[in-house]
Amino acid sequence: MQVSLDEIEATAKAALVNHGAEDWIAAEVAAAVREAEGLGNRICGLYYLESYCQQLRTGRVKGDSVPEVRKPRPGVVEVDAKFGFAQAAFSKALPEAARAAKEMGTISLAVCHAHTCTSLGYFTAQIARAGFIVLGMTNATPVVAPPDGKSRVIGTNPISFAVPDGKGGVAMLFDQSTTTVALGKITMAKAAGETIPEGWAVDAEGKPTTDPEAALKGSLVSMGGYKGWGFGLMAELLAAGMTGSRAGVDLGPLKAPEGDPHDIGDFYLIMDPDVSGGAFFDRLTQVSQAVQRDEGARMPGQARTVQDPVKVDPDAWALAQRLAGAD
C-alpha cells in the first residue's frame, strides 16, 4: 500500500508521544523514521517503531531526557544523551559542532550514552549538508566473532562517510556495516521464512550456514574477512572508548523491550573542506568525473532518492497506527 511521508512522520511522532516521549524528542525520531522509509531503508523505519514504543514504556529509553552539550576542548564537542534517543542528542549538538569545525578545521563530536542511532547515514548526511566532511561510526550488540573464532565480540559496527557538494547538498555518502550484511537483513529473512546466501554468517560452531535462525545463534561474517574485522574493531574502540559508553560485549539485544538502557556511543570526525583552499572540491570534481566516465558508474550515495509516497507493509502500517492510538 502507498502512504505519504508526511503521514508516516505524523503517525510515528504520535506513536512516540503516546508512549511517553516529549513532543520535540518524538519529532526528531519521527523525522529519522520518515527519511528511512523514503529511502527504502525499512529496517531503520517503521520496522523499529514498535521497539521504540515498547522501550519508552519500560524505561529502557528515556523519552524525556534533556541532552547536555559540552565543549571540554576547542576541538572536542560532546553531548550526553542521558540514555535518551540519539536523534535528539545529535540535534542539540550539531550547531556547536559546526561552529567548532569552522573555527578549528577538524574536530570530534561524541554522542554519549544514547539509544541506538539506527541509521548512521541519517546523521552524516546532515553534517555534509552543513558543509563538512565527516567520518562517523557506532557500535552494537555483539554478533560478530573474530575470523577463525566462535565467540561474539563486536556488533555490526557501521561506518559512514559523507562529503558535501559545496552547494548545501551531499556529493558522496556511504553507510555500511562492517559485516557482509546488516543484522536486520537476517532477522527479516527469518521472519519471512527465507534462507540467506552462504557467506553472510556462520553457525554456533563456526560453520557457514544459509539458515537465518542458525546464523542468529552463531555469528555474522566480517566483510572481507580480517579487513572488515579490523574496521569493526576500529569502530568499536572509537564509538565506545571515545564516548565513555558501553562496549559491545556489555550490550544486550537492542530490540528487547526490557533491560538496561542501550548506553551506546556515536563518534564523528568532522572536517572543514575550506582549509584546503579549494583543493578539496577541485579533487572531488576530478574524481567524480573519472568515476562517471563509464555508463552506470557513480559515486556512493548518488542514487539516494527519496520516494513519496512509498510502499509500506500493510501489517507494519496497521501496527504503527495502533501504536499512535488511531482508530
Side-chain angles (χ1 to χ4, degrees), residues 60-72:
R60 196 170 182 211
V61 60
K62 311 302 181 185
D64 58 354
S65 292
V66 179
E68 181 183 346
V69 181
R70 302 183 295 266
K71 191 178 176 187

Side-chain angles (χ1 to χ4, degrees), residues 66-71 77-80 89 92-94 96-97:
V66 179
E68 181 183 346
V69 181
R70 302 183 295 266
K71 191 178 176 187
V77 177
E78 299 174 346
V79 56
D80 185 350
K92 287 293 186 184
L94 182 56
E96 184 60 43

Side-chain angles (χ1 to χ4, degrees), residues 145-150 226:
D148 301 323
K150 295 188 296 183
Y226 279 99

Side-chain angles (χ1 to χ4, degrees), residues 39-305:
L39 292 170
N41 182 10
R42 289 185 173 181
I43 294 172
C44 296
L46 292 172
Y47 176 74
Y48 234 99
L49 186 60
E50 181 181 25
S51 174
Y52 291 150
C53 291
Q54 289 174 335
Q55 293 180 7
L56 279 166
R57 282 282 170 86
T58 64
R60 196 170 182 211
V61 60
K62 311 302 181 185
D64 58 354
S65 292
V66 179
E68 181 183 346
V69 181
R70 302 183 295 266
K71 191 178 176 187
R73 297 186 185 182
V76 177
V77 177
E78 299 174 346
V79 56
D80 185 350
K82 299 182 180 179
F83 306 131
F85 286 104
Q87 293 87 348
F90 180 88
S91 72
K92 287 293 186 184
L94 182 56
E96 184 60 43
R99 285 191 290 269
K102 266 299 174 189
E103 178 185 356
M104 303 300 297
T106 298
I107 68 148
S108 64
L109 168 60
V111 178
C112 316
H113 314 301
H115 195 263
T116 176
C117 72
T118 316
S119 173
L120 192 60
Y122 175 71
F123 304 93
T124 58
Q126 291 181 63
I127 294 171
R129 287 194 291 266
F132 301 99
I133 307 160
V134 57
L135 175 66
M137 57 209 75
T138 189
N139 65 342
T141 305
V143 291
V144 183
D148 301 323
K150 295 188 296 183
S151 300
R152 296 173 169 187
V153 178
I154 62 174
T156 54
N157 291 12
I159 296 174
S160 181
F161 180 70
V163 170
D165 62 6
K167 304 172 185 176
V170 181
M172 170 183 167
L173 186 153
F174 68 76
D175 175 9
Q176 60 194 47
S177 64
T178 51
T179 49
T180 302
V181 295
L183 178 63
K185 289 193 175 182
I186 295 180
T187 58
M188 292 180 78
K190 179 185 175 183
E194 300 171 349
T195 59
I196 59 173
E198 188 169 321
W200 281 15
V202 295
D203 63 19
E205 299 302 317
K207 298 178 181 178
T209 183
T210 60
D211 179 356
E213 186 169 356
L216 293 172
K217 294 177 181 177
S219 169
L220 273 64
V221 173
S222 297
M223 62 177 182
Y226 279 99
K227 295 179 180 179
W229 169 247
F231 278 116
L233 285 174
M234 177 189 74
E236 180 71 36
L237 294 173
L238 291 176
M242 295 301 288
T243 68
S245 306
R246 287 186 177 183
V249 291
D250 291 329
L251 293 173
L254 297 185
K255 294 192 73 177
E258 299 182 348
D260 293 335
H262 288 180
D263 193 0
I264 285 176
D266 313 321
F267 186 72
Y268 304 92
L269 289 174
I270 303 174
M271 297 151 272
D272 183 1
D274 290 345
V275 302
S276 70
F280 178 83
F281 288 111
D282 287 345
R283 301 303 180 271
L284 174 62
T285 299
Q286 181 182 11
V287 172
S288 296
Q289 290 175 346
V291 169
Q292 295 169 20
R293 279 201 297 260
D294 294 329
E295 185 177 354
R298 57 181 174 79
M299 297 283 279
Q302 288 185 339
R304 283 167 56 103
T305 54

